[in-house]
Amino acid sequence: MDVLGNKFAYIATYGCQMNSSDSERYAGQLEALGYHMTEDMDMADVILLNTCCVRETAEGKTLGKIGELKHYKERNPKLVIAITGCMAQEWQDRLFERAPHVDLVIGTHNIHKLTELLQVRQGKHALAADMSLPAFHDLPTKRFHKFFAWVPIMNGCNKYCTYCIVPHVRGREVSRPLQDIVAEVKALGRAGYKEITLLGQNVNSYGLDLKDGTDFSSLVDALEDAKGVERIRYMTSHPKDMTKKMIDAIARSTRVVHHLHLPVQSGSNATLKRMNRGYTVEHYLELVDYAREKMPDLVLTTDMIVGFPGETEEMFQETLALIQRVGYDMAYTFIYSPRTGTPAATWKDQIPQEEKSKRLKRLMDIQNEFSLALNKKMEQCVYSVIVEGPTKNDEHHWFGRTGGNKMIIWENDGSVSIGDTVSVAVDKGQTWVLKGHIVSQGG
């Protein structure tokens, strides 16, 4: 706290976009209580770490960060340390045992409890991790961006993939009422937000629990008249619940982007079955072919796991064949690592780390060729881009993204501002980014 009596709060967010959205709601509550946001932990009266536990390596790093906070507590005994998110849900009161300097542990269904816990804590450990509570609450929200906004449409997951801990820490699938989502998106459009991202662990499952015929295609259609919103993105899709009806809705929408992130995870039906993914390679390819038929300009990305327990060389070859068959614009590739609490972690047929690393390199070598080739095809073409600002390491070069979520970097001449919609010509396609120049400004 500074000498003027102002209160400050520091928030660090780990993991997925859903966590980023949750952090905005934590920040909203803190501002309502009179706290100012700061990026300096030394100034903070409240330090909140919003955590992820999808991978044990990430969890280990977070535990290390929590340990470091002990020194801040020693310097400022009145400091309140709050651990929130998926790791908080998983660990619960074990976090107090591991790190007694932590004050609050708040699980994924208890975001709304922050205000109450800060007001009544009285120096004692406080835990809020009841997953029987509603997943969504009407909370003040402090948006971290001026032109880009996250909008949760559902929470939880019913899929129980054998490698994934998300259903255990996010709970069962629960959809927000359609009218609430539409109202939030329209309000954001009126407030000047140009790009909205609809969030859910599995957006294609949206509405199934409502049992009134509402599904993701209903939501896409309902958002068509969200004035002011130039782009609507969505993540993450699941092939099991993606339908042609949903693809049709996306194809006819003038606001939803033609970028489909459709995680396949493996090109082997045997592996997909062991993963409990609920679809076959054949079904997946049928969805891909239909989407490309309806949207010839589709940008397609995916997630893939290599070295899943029991994955033979033949199964891995099937994954490589799938990459070559589909030709993804980009693939987010991961080495399988056992996650405590999931079935796959207990299986005996684990793949040696050296072999997993070799397979990852082989997969990436092929995928990088496709990414480069597809990006080079974009050279000399012009794309509409919403300006996001300077790149991380060079303030003289700015960037934005195409509707297909591809990053374009250009040399900034001072003619544009963050949030402007501009036309950018691609001069050079590289594996990960595009280089270009501005040809016109839309404002």
Side-chain angles (χ1 to χ4, degrees):
M1 182 182 294
D2 71 0
V3 293
L4 298 177
N6 291 321
K7 299 184 295 183
F8 293 91
Y10 171 93
I11 296 178
T13 306
Y14 302 88
C16 68
Q17 291 82 1
M18 185 69 82
N19 271 13
S20 297
S21 176
D22 290 347
S23 288
E24 292 184 335
R25 284 154 179 78
Y26 281 122
Q29 291 177 80
L30 287 164
E31 283 207 338
L33 290 173
Y35 289 87
H36 303 278
M37 293 297 112
T38 179
E39 295 184 4
D40 183 355
M41 285 197 289
D42 287 310
M43 288 185 62
D45 300 279
V46 173
I47 293 177
L48 186 151
L49 302 188
N50 194 7
T51 62
C52 173
C53 65
V54 170
R55 294 177 184 82
E56 275 186 303
T57 51
E59 187 174 88
K61 291 179 181 178
T62 304
L63 284 170
K65 188 66 175 180
I66 292 171
E68 292 175 14
L69 295 181
K70 181 180 180 180
H71 304 298
Y72 291 88
K73 189 78 163 185
E74 289 171 347
R75 291 199 296 268
N76 177 13
K78 293 183 179 180
L79 172 67
V80 176
I81 298 174
I83 309 302
T84 68
C86 294
M87 185 176 161
Q89 187 67 52
E90 180 194 13
W91 279 67
Q92 300 195 20
D93 53 9
R94 287 188 293 134
L95 271 175
F96 297 131
E97 299 170 13
R98 174 74 177 251
H101 55 284
V102 168
D103 299 288
L104 311 179
V105 174
I106 304 176
T108 55
H109 284 226
N110 295 263
I111 298 173
H112 62 297
K113 291 289 189 72
L114 177 62
T115 298
E116 174 190 340
L117 294 177
L118 284 174
Q119 292 173 329
V120 305
R121 185 181 61 84
Q122 296 182 337
K124 299 178 181 179
H125 287 156
L127 170 68
D130 183 358
M131 293 189 74
S132 67
L133 297 175
F136 297 102
H137 305 273
D138 186 15
L139 294 171
T141 301
K142 176 180 173 54
R143 302 287 176 180
F144 294 153
H145 304 281
K146 190 175 180 181
F147 300 100
F148 305 87
W150 313 110
V151 175
I153 67 170
M154 64 179 301
N155 185 71
C157 181
N158 294 349
K159 300 299 181 285
Y160 288 92
C161 298
T162 55
Y163 55 83
C164 184
I165 200 169
V166 168
H168 304 281
V169 293
R170 280 283 180 177
R172 304 286 290 176
E173 292 173 353
V174 179
S175 301
R176 281 181 73 190
L178 184 145
Q179 62 269 24
D180 290 358
I181 301 168
V182 172
E184 183 175 356
V185 171
K186 287 185 175 181
L188 288 166
R190 290 192 295 271
Y193 287 85
K194 289 188 170 185
E195 182 173 300
I196 308 297
T197 302
L198 308 176
L199 297 177
Q201 273 72 42
N202 295 309
V203 294
N204 306 123
S205 303
Y206 173 75
L208 298 183
D209 58 307
L210 301 176
K211 301 187 185 304
D212 62 359
T214 300
D215 65 5
F216 187 62
S217 63
S218 309
L219 179 58
V220 169
D221 289 338
L223 292 173
E224 182 61 17
D225 62 346
K227 294 180 175 60
V229 177
E230 295 180 11
R231 291 178 182 164
I232 297 176
R233 302 189 186 278
Y234 55 97
M235 61 177 61
T236 293
S237 297
H238 195 294
K240 181 179 180 181
D241 293 321
M242 173 66 88
T243 65
K244 292 180 179 179
K245 180 183 175 186
M246 295 175 193
I247 293 171
D248 288 341
I250 294 167
R252 66 175 170 261
S253 173
T254 62
R255 302 193 191 278
V256 178
V257 297
H258 288 182
H259 169 219
L260 174 57
H261 184 69
L262 195 62
V264 67
Q265 306 300 4
S266 173
S268 162
N269 281 333
T271 301
L272 290 175
K273 186 174 182 179
R274 295 196 82 197
M275 289 178 167
N276 194 36
R277 290 292 288 172
Y279 55 85
T280 63
V281 171
E282 291 74 20
H283 174 70
Y284 182 90
L285 290 174
E286 183 180 351
L287 289 173
V288 167
D289 290 344
Y290 187 80
R292 282 180 164 160
E293 175 189 341
K294 294 295 181 178
M295 295 174 279
D297 60 341
L298 183 71
V299 171
L300 184 64
T301 57
T302 195
D303 294 342
M304 288 193 174
I305 297 172
V306 300
F308 189 75
E311 182 187 67
T312 64
E313 173 62 23
E314 182 181 5
M315 294 173 183
F316 177 65
Q317 287 288 344
E318 291 179 308
T319 296
L320 298 184
L322 177 72
I323 290 178
Q324 293 170 318
R325 159 70 168 80
V326 173
Y328 294 102
D329 287 83
M330 184 178 291
Y332 299 88
T333 54
F334 307 93
I335 289 177
Y336 170 77
S337 58
R339 188 64 187 86
T340 302
T342 62
T346 67
W347 295 345
K348 304 299 183 185
D349 49 357
Q350 303 290 325
I351 308 299
Q353 185 65 33
E354 182 180 1
E355 179 59 29
K356 289 191 287 189
S357 297
K358 288 180 180 178
R359 289 181 185 178
L360 179 67
K361 184 181 185 306
R362 291 164 62 193
L363 186 151
M364 291 181 65
D365 285 346
I366 293 175
Q367 177 54 49
N368 288 346
E369 290 181 6
F370 278 99
S371 296
L372 178 59
L374 289 168
N375 284 351
K376 288 191 76 63
K377 284 185 177 180
M378 299 173 70
E379 293 176 354
Q380 313 310 317
C381 296
V382 177
Y383 296 90
S384 177
V385 168
I386 301 174
V387 180
E388 296 190 36
T391 60
K392 186 176 181 179
N393 300 316
D394 183 359
E395 63 180 17
H396 299 296
H397 285 83
W398 282 31
F399 77 100
R401 297 175 195 276
T402 68
N405 206 36
K406 294 195 176 187
M407 181 188 291
I408 304 182
I409 298 173
W410 62 87
E411 189 170 348
N412 178 35
D413 62 2
S415 64
V416 300
S417 301
I418 295 173
D420 286 347
T421 300
V422 299
S423 295
V424 181
V426 177
D427 300 317
K428 184 177 182 180
Q430 299 179 342
T431 304
W432 304 108
V433 298
L434 308 165
K435 300 290 183 68
H437 65 277
I438 294 175
V439 292
S440 68
Q441 180 177 344

